[in-house]
Amino acid sequence: MTTRDPARLVAQLTRYPPRGDLYQLQHPVEPVDPERPDVPVATLPKLPATVGVLRPTLPR
């Protein structure tokens, strides 16, 4: 699988480094089969993502 165009996430940053800001896709992403690049397999119209702090889970 590949995409016709790369996925680009954009956001209005409220601080630097960004923490807790919501990112959205700049445009829908269409994965395609490399052997049939004219036929999209699916369309991802949205992919909201929030940037935050990763907290490792410690064993109990």
Side-chain angles (χ1 to χ4, degrees):
M1 283 282 173
T2 186
T3 59
R4 291 179 182 196
D5 297 313
R8 290 188 181 102
L9 293 173
V10 294
Q12 292 290 120
L13 300 180
T14 58
R15 69 187 108 191
Y16 187 82
R19 293 174 68 172
D21 293 314
L22 180 64
Y23 287 75
Q24 298 282 347
L25 284 173
Q26 187 174 27
H27 54 80
V29 176
E30 294 183 331
V32 295
D33 181 345
E35 294 179 11
R36 297 183 65 202
D38 295 338
V39 181
V41 176
T43 300
L44 297 171
K46 298 179 183 179
L47 184 65
T50 303
V51 173
V53 177
L54 295 176
R55 297 182 189 163
T57 304
L58 301 175
R60 294 181 190 224

